[in-house]
mmCIF file of all heavy atoms in Angstrom:
data_model
loop_
_atom_site.group_PDB
_atom_site.id
_atom_site.type_symbol
_atom_site.label_atom_id
_atom_site.label_comp_id
_atom_site.label_asym_id
_atom_site.label_seq_id
_atom_site.Cartn_x
_atom_site.Cartn_y
_atom_site.Cartn_z
ATOM 1 N N GLY C 43 13.271 -22.019 4.283
ATOM 2 C CA GLY C 43 12.663 -23.244 4.786
ATOM 3 C C GLY C 43 11.766 -22.962 5.978
ATOM 4 O O GLY C 43 11.865 -21.906 6.613
ATOM 5 N N GLU C 44 10.913 -23.920 6.268
ATOM 6 C CA GLU C 44 9.942 -23.756 7.350
ATOM 7 C C GLU C 44 10.646 -23.399 8.659
ATOM 8 O O GLU C 44 11.679 -23.979 8.993
ATOM 9 C CB GLU C 44 9.136 -25.053 7.504
ATOM 10 C CG GLU C 44 7.768 -24.809 8.093
ATOM 11 C CD GLU C 44 6.883 -26.050 8.033
ATOM 12 O OE1 GLU C 44 6.920 -26.780 7.009
ATOM 13 O OE2 GLU C 44 6.159 -26.294 9.019
ATOM 14 N N GLY C 45 10.086 -22.446 9.368
ATOM 15 C CA GLY C 45 10.607 -22.055 10.674
ATOM 16 C C GLY C 45 11.649 -20.962 10.626
ATOM 17 O O GLY C 45 11.957 -20.340 11.648
ATOM 18 N N GLU C 46 12.218 -20.712 9.438
ATOM 19 C CA GLU C 46 13.244 -19.668 9.344
ATOM 20 C C GLU C 46 12.618 -18.274 9.433
ATOM 21 O O GLU C 46 11.489 -18.054 9.005
ATOM 22 C CB GLU C 46 14.029 -19.811 8.035
ATOM 23 C CG GLU C 46 14.989 -21.001 8.064
ATOM 24 C CD GLU C 46 15.841 -21.095 6.821
ATOM 25 O OE1 GLU C 46 15.292 -21.096 5.700
ATOM 26 O OE2 GLU C 46 17.070 -21.199 6.968
ATOM 27 N N THR C 47 13.404 -17.355 10.004
ATOM 28 C CA THR C 47 12.970 -15.952 10.073
ATOM 29 C C THR C 47 13.439 -15.266 8.800
ATOM 30 O O THR C 47 14.621 -15.322 8.452
ATOM 31 C CB THR C 47 13.558 -15.260 11.307
ATOM 32 O OG1 THR C 47 13.123 -15.974 12.471
ATOM 33 C CG2 THR C 47 13.077 -13.822 11.411
ATOM 34 N N VAL C 48 12.501 -14.659 8.110
ATOM 35 C CA VAL C 48 12.811 -14.109 6.787
ATOM 36 C C VAL C 48 12.427 -12.644 6.674
ATOM 37 O O VAL C 48 11.650 -12.111 7.463
ATOM 38 C CB VAL C 48 12.089 -14.913 5.678
ATOM 39 C CG1 VAL C 48 12.649 -16.318 5.593
ATOM 40 C CG2 VAL C 48 10.585 -14.932 5.898
ATOM 41 N N LEU C 49 12.975 -12.045 5.646
ATOM 42 C CA LEU C 49 12.743 -10.654 5.293
ATOM 43 C C LEU C 49 11.784 -10.671 4.107
ATOM 44 O O LEU C 49 12.076 -11.286 3.082
ATOM 45 C CB LEU C 49 14.093 -10.066 4.866
ATOM 46 C CG LEU C 49 14.417 -8.605 5.014
ATOM 47 C CD1 LEU C 49 14.130 -8.103 6.420
ATOM 48 C CD2 LEU C 49 15.885 -8.395 4.670
ATOM 49 N N VAL C 50 10.643 -10.012 4.243
ATOM 50 C CA VAL C 50 9.633 -10.017 3.188
ATOM 51 C C VAL C 50 9.516 -8.618 2.573
ATOM 52 O O VAL C 50 9.319 -7.634 3.290
ATOM 53 C CB VAL C 50 8.257 -10.439 3.757
ATOM 54 C CG1 VAL C 50 7.167 -10.285 2.696
ATOM 55 C CG2 VAL C 50 8.304 -11.873 4.261
ATOM 56 N N ALA C 51 9.670 -8.555 1.257
ATOM 57 C CA ALA C 51 9.473 -7.296 0.535
ATOM 58 C C ALA C 51 8.084 -7.311 -0.086
ATOM 59 O O ALA C 51 7.662 -8.331 -0.646
ATOM 60 C CB ALA C 51 10.529 -7.124 -0.554
ATOM 61 N N THR C 52 7.379 -6.188 0.020
ATOM 62 C CA THR C 52 5.992 -6.155 -0.440
ATOM 63 C C THR C 52 5.801 -5.181 -1.608
ATOM 64 O O THR C 52 6.667 -4.364 -1.915
ATOM 65 C CB THR C 52 5.061 -5.728 0.715
ATOM 66 O OG1 THR C 52 5.462 -4.419 1.144
ATOM 67 C CG2 THR C 52 5.157 -6.691 1.882
ATOM 68 N N GLY C 53 4.657 -5.292 -2.234
ATOM 69 C CA GLY C 53 4.298 -4.386 -3.329
ATOM 70 C C GLY C 53 5.215 -4.545 -4.523
ATOM 71 O O GLY C 53 5.645 -5.654 -4.859
ATOM 72 N N GLY C 54 5.529 -3.438 -5.177
ATOM 73 C CA GLY C 54 6.379 -3.481 -6.359
ATOM 74 C C GLY C 54 7.744 -4.087 -6.077
ATOM 75 O O GLY C 54 8.371 -4.662 -6.968
ATOM 76 N N ALA C 55 8.210 -3.984 -4.830
ATOM 77 C CA ALA C 55 9.513 -4.550 -4.458
ATOM 78 C C ALA C 55 9.547 -6.063 -4.678
ATOM 79 O O ALA C 55 10.603 -6.632 -4.971
ATOM 80 C CB ALA C 55 9.840 -4.233 -3.000
ATOM 81 N N ALA C 56 8.392 -6.708 -4.544
ATOM 82 C CA ALA C 56 8.336 -8.156 -4.755
ATOM 83 C C ALA C 56 8.599 -8.491 -6.220
ATOM 84 O O ALA C 56 9.259 -9.482 -6.543
ATOM 85 C CB ALA C 56 6.969 -8.704 -4.315
ATOM 86 N N ARG C 57 8.096 -7.621 -7.094
ATOM 87 C CA ARG C 57 8.319 -7.860 -8.528
ATOM 88 C C ARG C 57 9.761 -7.534 -8.899
ATOM 89 O O ARG C 57 10.349 -8.182 -9.758
ATOM 90 C CB ARG C 57 7.296 -7.070 -9.355
ATOM 91 C CG ARG C 57 5.850 -7.566 -9.057
ATOM 92 C CD ARG C 57 4.795 -6.949 -9.937
ATOM 93 N NE ARG C 57 4.520 -5.561 -9.679
ATOM 94 C CZ ARG C 57 3.761 -5.099 -8.670
ATOM 95 N NH1 ARG C 57 3.221 -5.936 -7.810
ATOM 96 N NH2 ARG C 57 3.541 -3.808 -8.530
ATOM 97 N N VAL C 58 10.338 -6.544 -8.263
ATOM 98 C CA VAL C 58 11.762 -6.269 -8.481
ATOM 99 C C VAL C 58 12.578 -7.489 -8.048
ATOM 100 O O VAL C 58 13.501 -7.920 -8.747
ATOM 101 C CB VAL C 58 12.212 -5.011 -7.703
ATOM 102 C CG1 VAL C 58 13.716 -4.823 -7.825
ATOM 103 C CG2 VAL C 58 11.481 -3.774 -8.201
ATOM 104 N N ALA C 59 12.222 -8.070 -6.912
ATOM 105 C CA ALA C 59 12.945 -9.241 -6.403
ATOM 106 C C ALA C 59 12.835 -10.415 -7.362
ATOM 107 O O ALA C 59 13.800 -11.158 -7.566
ATOM 108 C CB ALA C 59 12.401 -9.632 -5.025
ATOM 109 N N ALA C 60 11.669 -10.592 -7.952
ATOM 110 C CA ALA C 60 11.448 -11.716 -8.866
ATOM 111 C C ALA C 60 12.143 -11.476 -10.207
ATOM 112 O O ALA C 60 12.355 -12.414 -10.982
ATOM 113 C CB ALA C 60 9.953 -11.934 -9.079
ATOM 114 N N GLY C 61 12.471 -10.232 -10.473
ATOM 115 C CA GLY C 61 13.136 -9.911 -11.738
ATOM 116 C C GLY C 61 12.225 -10.039 -12.935
ATOM 117 O O GLY C 61 12.678 -10.200 -14.070
ATOM 118 N N ALA C 62 10.912 -9.954 -12.684
ATOM 119 C CA ALA C 62 9.944 -10.075 -13.770
ATOM 120 C C ALA C 62 8.608 -9.522 -13.306
ATOM 121 O O ALA C 62 8.330 -9.473 -12.108
ATOM 122 C CB ALA C 62 9.791 -11.535 -14.176
ATOM 123 N N GLU C 63 7.775 -9.090 -14.248
ATOM 124 C CA GLU C 63 6.474 -8.543 -13.909
ATOM 125 C C GLU C 63 5.487 -9.679 -13.613
ATOM 126 O O GLU C 63 4.543 -9.927 -14.360
ATOM 127 C CB GLU C 63 5.954 -7.644 -15.027
ATOM 128 C CG GLU C 63 6.510 -6.226 -14.941
ATOM 129 C CD GLU C 63 6.062 -5.473 -13.680
ATOM 130 O OE1 GLU C 63 4.910 -5.035 -13.615
ATOM 131 O OE2 GLU C 63 6.901 -5.335 -12.773
ATOM 132 N N LEU C 64 5.714 -10.353 -12.500
ATOM 133 C CA LEU C 64 4.798 -11.413 -12.074
ATOM 134 C C LEU C 64 3.658 -10.811 -11.244
ATOM 135 O O LEU C 64 3.840 -9.764 -10.625
ATOM 136 C CB LEU C 64 5.544 -12.442 -11.224
ATOM 137 C CG LEU C 64 6.715 -13.169 -11.893
ATOM 138 C CD1 LEU C 64 7.277 -14.203 -10.930
ATOM 139 C CD2 LEU C 64 6.269 -13.824 -13.190
ATOM 140 N N PRO C 65 2.514 -11.480 -11.224
ATOM 141 C CA PRO C 65 1.400 -10.980 -10.406
ATOM 142 C C PRO C 65 1.590 -11.354 -8.936
ATOM 143 O O PRO C 65 0.785 -12.097 -8.366
ATOM 144 C CB PRO C 65 0.176 -11.668 -11.036
ATOM 145 C CG PRO C 65 0.703 -12.919 -11.638
ATOM 146 C CD PRO C 65 2.123 -12.635 -12.044
ATOM 147 N N ILE C 66 2.619 -10.835 -8.327
ATOM 148 C CA ILE C 66 2.906 -11.103 -6.917
ATOM 149 C C ILE C 66 3.108 -9.775 -6.181
ATOM 150 O O ILE C 66 3.552 -8.794 -6.762
ATOM 151 C CB ILE C 66 4.170 -11.968 -6.728
ATOM 152 C CG1 ILE C 66 5.399 -11.245 -7.295
ATOM 153 C CG2 ILE C 66 4.012 -13.320 -7.406
ATOM 154 C CD1 ILE C 66 6.713 -11.932 -6.990
#
Side-chain angles (χ1 to χ4, degrees):
Chain C
E44 206 171 320
E46 287 184 307
T47 301
V48 293
L49 208 51
V50 173
T52 60
R57 297 186 289 281
V58 174
E63 277 295 285
L64 300 183
I66 61 172

